[in-house]
Amino acid sequence: MAEETPKTTLPITTEEEEEAVVTNVSLADKNNNTDAEKVAEFSSFKEESTRVSELPEAEKKALEELKQLIQESLIKHEFFSLALNPPKEEKKSESLVADKKEHVLEHVSDLETKTEEKGQVLESVVDVVATKKGEKKEEEDQPTKTEEEAAPEVKETEEFENNTKTEKEGEKKEDEPKVKVTKVVFASSIDEDGAKTVEAIEETVVAVSSITTSTVPEPSTKEEEEAKEDNKDEALSTPTLVPPEEVSIWGVPLLLDERTNVILLKFLRARDFKVKEAFTMIKNTIKWRKEFGIDELLEQQNLVNDDLEKVVYMHGFDKEGHPVCYNIYGEFQNKEVYKKTFSDEEKREKFLRWRIQFLEKSIRKLDFTPGSVSTIVQVNDLKNSPGPGKWELRQATKQALHLLQDNYPEFVAKQVFINVPWWYLAVNRMISPFLTQRTKSKFVFAGPPKSAETLLRYIAPEQLQVKYGGLSKDGEFGSNDVVTEITVRPAAKHTVEFSVTENCVLSWELRVIGWDVSYGAEFVPSTEGSYTIIIQKARKVASSEEPVVYNSYKVGEPGKIVLTIDNESSKKKKLLYRLKTKPSSFD
């Protein structure tokens, strides 16, 4: 995959504490690929501490800077909440604010328009009144009315003028109906032309009355109007206070506890402690997880057929406590399995989603407490793996490589390839440019003769499956029954003795990596003159035979069990064995 991620979707690689090496590629393979010996020229790698107190000062500072950037982004909702999936209530609120602002602007515009119209009308009324006064002046020569007849007219006229002046100054007299103007009109004694003019005034005044009785009151002063407008703008521009985002990644809520430090250190190390680049990477990862639907993916079932359970699975732990994930590519030699997995884009996408789901579930079993195990060991078995001609497999590998490199930094402690064929070394050269130097430093390659020996360097025999050189299998012994490892020198005989002092049933498991040695077992009583009892007659065990020998013996007297391994070959052999006793009684 890449970038220290549990590269586990297709052939990928691992690292080794002491050195990244290609071990035991056959001479024929080397002849077919002269670059085989050069593939492992990667620098050694040692897993760094996840305890902040043990970090160099520069790394502590980088961690604090990254946490500060994340805190600011959570407050500003810069991850995915608003960008990718805005809450419906937020959208509704924004819409209401926009509608309100638009309504206010329309209302202000209407007020301006109506004010202009009202002003024009009032000016017209004043002109008419002035004209009326002039006409009255000309009629002074005419016979004067009596005071009683003139009093109502004068009173009405003064009232009309006062009302007109009040309307022009913008004062409201809601208690006085505007229809009083009509009374003034008909109370006046004018000629026919004058009457027509007053009727026109009546119609205009009624229109003014309808404007001044608008449902939205006009501000009484310019200052009040400006103050109200300022308040409206401030209300519209004031943001709604929302709590910071709550972002979790691999089940760890960011910035809530010390586990966050472990998560952030992965991104910092993937980017050589360049804070801005690490921050960009984590933002992109969170965005991708949202778009890919990781949370929903974890709940999905039956993404692929059961055959793939033999392709990728978890089994046991390495000597440092890392969970071990196995990727068995030889299963794709089965044409039916290959077709179901890679025959079209939809199947490849489904396989990728299943592989990510498997990886996510495995990661969530890790302990992100500082100082605990937060990485995985990958074992990639290339025995009988489809060759480089399988285009679909190469495409899926490349896709998974980029995806894991970008979104799963620093999740692989080691990437071990076993049973490596010559052609894979060439493929690895093609993939290598896509991997960081840090990732490549974790890779280990081993040819078929050295695969078991290489795995045993990292994984204890009781944790390693029988098919890969260990003793882990269903049976009487379990992963808690410790295995003893011994190297038997060439042309040498080695014996294992186990003393017993009471009645019991003694059981043991034993294997020699590669066998081709003689094996025998016997019980030697402690009582002088007693006969030695042959439990297993010495015989040559070939490498093709059952890899593990299991024996048990019911002991009825003090003595010892003696196991004999006779290595007549010119090569050293690795012997693995374990024993256990159960109380027994004889009638």
Side-chain angles (χ1 to χ4, degrees):
M1 299 328 11
E3 214 37 82
E4 311 73 16
T5 103
K7 299 136 186 177
T8 60
T9 307
L10 308 146
I12 318 177
T13 43
T14 287
E15 136 293 4
E16 175 180 4
E17 293 178 348
E18 306 162 14
E19 56 185 0
V21 295
V22 174
T23 57
N24 203 294
V25 176
S26 68
L27 180 61
D29 292 343
K30 290 184 179 181
N31 291 335
N32 288 329
N33 184 1
T34 57
D35 293 324
E37 300 179 27
K38 302 179 182 179
V39 174
E41 296 178 358
F42 306 138
S43 60
S44 61
F45 171 80
K46 182 172 179 60
E47 194 169 6
E48 299 95 337
S49 174
T50 55
R51 292 187 174 92
V52 176
S53 60
E54 298 175 0
L55 299 177
E57 288 302 320
E59 295 182 1
K60 290 181 182 178
K61 181 179 179 181
L63 178 60
E64 289 304 315
E65 290 178 2
L66 180 57
K67 291 170 71 173
Q68 182 62 35
L69 289 175
I70 291 175
Q71 180 65 57
E72 293 173 358
S73 293
L74 290 175
I75 293 174
K76 297 178 181 178
H77 286 245
E78 290 180 350
F79 282 111
F80 57 74
S81 293
L82 297 181
L84 298 180
N85 190 22
K88 293 181 179 180
E89 293 183 0
E90 292 287 339
K91 289 184 176 179
K92 183 177 180 181
S93 177
E94 292 176 3
S95 176
L96 290 174
V97 169
D99 292 343
K100 182 177 180 181
K101 187 172 183 179
E102 183 178 355
H103 174 73
V104 169
L105 293 176
E106 289 178 355
H107 177 64
V108 171
S109 177
D110 290 343
L111 282 178
E112 291 176 352
T113 302
K114 292 178 180 180
T115 301
E116 291 177 1
E117 293 176 353
K118 186 175 70 173
Q120 293 173 359
V121 171
L122 292 176
E123 289 177 3
S124 176
V125 172
V126 172
D127 291 342
V128 171
V129 172
T131 302
K132 178 65 179 178
K133 286 183 178 181
E135 291 176 354
K136 285 184 178 182
K137 216 169 186 182
E138 292 177 359
E139 295 174 357
E140 287 180 355
D141 296 336
Q142 296 180 2
T144 305
K145 296 182 180 180
T146 64
E147 292 181 359
E148 293 179 357
E149 293 176 336
E153 181 178 351
V154 172
K155 186 176 180 181
E156 299 274 24
T157 302
E158 289 177 353
E159 186 176 353
F160 175 82
E161 292 175 351
N162 290 335
N163 287 340
T164 303
K165 181 177 180 180
T166 301
E167 287 292 329
K168 188 170 184 180
E169 292 175 353
E171 297 178 0
K172 297 179 182 178
K173 292 193 175 183
E174 299 179 14
D175 296 335
E176 298 183 31
K178 299 303 178 288
V179 293
K180 286 188 178 181
V181 175
T182 304
K183 294 180 180 180
V184 174
V185 171
F186 289 101
S188 301
S189 176
I190 56 177
D191 57 16
E192 183 178 356
D193 294 336
K196 289 182 179 179
T197 302
V198 172
E199 289 175 358
I201 294 172
E202 176 198 6
E203 294 174 356
T204 305
V205 172
V206 171
V208 172
S209 176
S210 66
I211 293 174
T212 57
T213 58
S214 172
T215 58
V216 181
E218 181 183 355
S220 57
T221 65
K222 183 177 181 180
E223 290 75 9
E224 289 183 19
E225 183 177 356
E226 292 177 350
K228 289 184 179 180
E229 290 300 321
D230 291 340
N231 291 337
K232 291 175 183 176
D233 292 339
E234 182 178 354
L236 292 173
S237 62
T238 301
T240 303
L241 295 178
V242 293
E245 282 181 308
E246 295 182 2
V247 178
S248 296
I249 183 168
W250 302 305
V252 177
L254 292 183
L255 301 185
L256 290 189
D257 55 50
E258 60 183 359
R259 293 179 299 167
T260 293
N261 295 335
V262 179
I263 297 294
L264 300 187
L265 282 173
K266 291 180 180 295
F267 287 90
L268 284 168
R269 285 169 174 151
R271 291 297 179 264
D272 296 324
F273 282 88
K274 297 176 182 177
V275 177
K276 290 185 178 180
E277 292 184 15
F279 179 59
T280 299
M281 184 182 186
I282 194 171
K283 285 210 303 184
N284 290 339
T285 294
I286 292 172
K287 179 180 178 182
W288 170 80
R289 293 173 67 81
K290 182 69 174 181
E291 294 174 343
F292 200 79
I294 293 296
D295 292 338
E296 295 78 11
L297 181 62
L298 287 170
E299 303 300 325
Q300 293 183 19
Q301 298 180 355
N302 303 321
L303 279 173
V304 292
N305 56 75
D306 295 339
D307 294 329
L308 292 182
E309 293 181 0
K310 300 177 182 178
V311 175
V312 181
Y313 59 86
M314 304 293 293
H315 185 90
F317 301 86
D318 76 345
K319 293 178 179 180
E320 296 178 352
H322 300 96
V324 181
C325 179
Y326 290 83
N327 303 279
I328 317 302
Y329 300 105
E331 295 293 332
F332 291 130
Q333 283 284 23
N334 184 314
K335 294 182 179 179
E336 188 64 26
V337 173
Y338 188 90
K339 183 178 180 181
K340 289 180 181 179
T341 309
F342 302 117
S343 60
D344 57 49
E345 183 64 31
E346 182 180 354
K347 289 183 174 63
R348 291 193 293 273
E349 177 66 22
K350 184 175 289 188
F351 171 78
L352 179 62
R353 292 185 63 81
W354 171 80
R355 189 60 190 84
I356 293 299
Q357 181 192 64
F358 183 91
L359 178 59
E360 283 284 332
K361 290 181 177 180
S362 300
I363 288 176
R364 293 184 183 233
K365 296 177 182 179
L366 298 174
D367 186 353
F368 289 104
T369 303
S372 300
V373 174
S374 61
T375 52
I376 296 172
V377 167
Q378 294 279 344
V379 174
N380 305 280
D381 184 2
L382 303 183
K383 184 178 181 179
N384 298 325
S385 177
K390 296 293 185 179
W391 176 86
E392 298 86 357
L393 181 59
R394 292 205 321 271
Q395 286 296 106
T397 301
K398 185 177 180 180
Q399 183 180 7
L401 184 74
H402 284 292
L403 190 152
L404 297 179
Q405 176 173 332
D406 293 339
N407 300 289
Y408 293 88
E410 293 292 325
F411 269 104
V412 170
K414 299 175 182 67
Q415 191 70 268
V416 182
F417 286 85
I418 59 173
N419 297 315
V420 180
W422 68 268
W423 58 262
Y424 186 76
L425 300 177
V427 173
N428 185 71
R429 288 178 61 85
M430 298 174 61
I431 296 176
S432 184
F434 298 99
L435 308 178
T436 65
Q437 186 62 32
R438 181 183 182 82
T439 299
K440 290 186 288 186
S441 71
K442 300 180 179 183
F443 290 0
V444 176
F445 298 87
K450 291 289 185 179
S451 291
E453 181 180 332
T454 299
L455 289 175
L456 287 169
R457 294 169 64 183
Y458 306 107
I459 305 172
E462 59 268 24
Q463 297 287 340
L464 184 64
Q465 290 176 292
V466 169
K467 67 177 181 177
Y468 290 123
L471 292 177
S472 177
K473 65 181 180 64
D474 294 334
E476 184 175 345
F477 291 87
S479 59
N480 293 326
D481 296 313
V482 180
V483 176
T484 300
E485 300 180 52
I486 295 175
T487 297
V488 183
R489 292 175 297 174
K493 182 181 292 187
H494 182 83
T495 60
V496 175
E497 298 183 358
F498 187 78
S499 298
V500 290
T501 57
E502 56 186 13
N503 295 344
C504 66
V505 175
L506 180 65
S507 303
W508 65 91
E509 283 185 330
L510 175 146
R511 78 175 297 175
V512 175
I513 305 302
W515 283 105
D516 284 331
V517 299
S518 293
Y519 159 71
E522 57 186 15
F523 174 69
V524 181
S526 299
T527 305
E528 186 178 351
S530 297
Y531 293 100
T532 297
I533 301 173
I534 304 298
I535 300 173
Q536 171 64 60
K537 184 178 180 179
R539 68 182 183 90
K540 184 80 173 282
V541 181
S543 58
S544 59
E545 294 188 40
E546 183 68 26
V548 179
V549 171
Y550 172 81
N551 283 124
S552 64
Y553 181 72
K554 191 172 185 179
V555 179
E557 59 180 314
K560 61 181 178 180
I561 297 289
V562 179
L563 310 178
T564 303
I565 302 297
D566 187 2
N567 180 18
E568 298 176 352
S569 72
S570 59
K571 297 180 180 179
K572 64 181 180 180
K573 299 289 184 177
K574 184 178 286 295
L575 166 66
L576 308 173
Y577 70 91
R578 54 183 171 180
L579 307 95
K580 69 183 334 182
T581 59
K582 292 188 297 184
S584 177
S585 61
F586 288 86
D587 295 334

